[in-house]
Amino acid sequence: MKLLLQRGAGEKDSTPGQLFVDGRFECFTLEDFVRRPGVKVYGQTAIPAGTYQVVVTMSPRFKRLLPLLLNVPGFEGIRIHTGNKAADTDGCILVGDSPSAGWLGQSRVAFDRLFAKLQATREPITIEIRPAP
């Protein structure tokens, strides 16, 4: 299964995007702000663009199964999960169905739909994160 996150133009403290599953639009995303290479502010910086393997594992923080991105340079524990604003993430990818400036609504609905697809696949899962055009 191939996920594609196409980032949009960054806002004051967040980066909106769109998530596609095997080429089909799935939901909207919200991440921390994308900073220039080499600059990282803990809990306020989006992960580098690139392609990462995704596995579903138990999250020690959330105490439930969540998608985990592996081998993200300079980051650990990057997950895809629910949330509404950049303050709800420490570098992770938030998903939702109702975007507005710096906000993402209907996060649980979007996450549950995406997670069901991730759990149902028998294929390896990757996510490609593309920078804003």
PDB file of all heavy atoms in Angstrom, residues 23-24 52 70:
ATOM      1  N   GLY A  23      -3.112   6.285  -4.726  1.00  0.00           N
ATOM      2  CA  GLY A  23      -3.494   7.229  -5.762  1.00  0.00           C
ATOM      3  C   GLY A  23      -4.850   7.892  -5.590  1.00  0.00           C
ATOM      4  O   GLY A  23      -5.209   8.770  -6.372  1.00  0.00           O
ATOM      5  N   ARG A  24      -5.600   7.522  -4.570  1.00  0.00           N
ATOM      6  CA  ARG A  24      -6.931   8.107  -4.345  1.00  0.00           C
ATOM      7  C   ARG A  24      -6.914   8.992  -3.108  1.00  0.00           C
ATOM      8  O   ARG A  24      -6.389   8.593  -2.062  1.00  0.00           O
ATOM      9  CB  ARG A  24      -7.975   7.014  -4.156  1.00  0.00           C
ATOM     10  CG  ARG A  24      -8.207   6.228  -5.401  1.00  0.00           C
ATOM     11  CD  ARG A  24      -9.351   5.285  -5.213  1.00  0.00           C
ATOM     12  NE  ARG A  24      -9.607   4.606  -6.483  1.00  0.00           N
ATOM     13  CZ  ARG A  24     -10.426   3.609  -6.624  1.00  0.00           C
ATOM     14  NH1 ARG A  24     -11.102   3.163  -5.595  1.00  0.00           N
ATOM     15  NH2 ARG A  24     -10.595   3.051  -7.797  1.00  0.00           N
ATOM     16  N   TYR A  52       9.076   6.694   3.598  1.00  0.00           N
ATOM     17  CA  TYR A  52       9.291   5.953   4.832  1.00  0.00           C
ATOM     18  C   TYR A  52       8.411   4.709   4.872  1.00  0.00           C
ATOM     19  O   TYR A  52       7.282   4.722   4.387  1.00  0.00           O
ATOM     20  CB  TYR A  52       8.964   6.823   6.053  1.00  0.00           C
ATOM     21  CG  TYR A  52       9.708   8.124   6.064  1.00  0.00           C
ATOM     22  CD1 TYR A  52       9.095   9.309   5.673  1.00  0.00           C
ATOM     23  CD2 TYR A  52      11.046   8.177   6.436  1.00  0.00           C
ATOM     24  CE1 TYR A  52       9.776  10.514   5.658  1.00  0.00           C
ATOM     25  CE2 TYR A  52      11.742   9.380   6.428  1.00  0.00           C
ATOM     26  CZ  TYR A  52      11.106  10.544   6.042  1.00  0.00           C
ATOM     27  OH  TYR A  52      11.795  11.730   6.016  1.00  0.00           O
ATOM     28  N   LEU A  70       9.020   4.599  10.101  1.00  0.00           N
ATOM     29  CA  LEU A  70      10.341   4.099  10.493  1.00  0.00           C
ATOM     30  C   LEU A  70      11.471   4.894   9.854  1.00  0.00           C
ATOM     31  O   LEU A  70      11.358   5.375   8.721  1.00  0.00           O
ATOM     32  CB  LEU A  70      10.469   2.630  10.089  1.00  0.00           C
ATOM     33  CG  LEU A  70       9.453   1.664  10.691  1.00  0.00           C
ATOM     34  CD1 LEU A  70       9.702   0.247  10.163  1.00  0.00           C
ATOM     35  CD2 LEU A  70       9.479   1.692  12.204  1.00  0.00           C
TER      36      LEU A  70
END
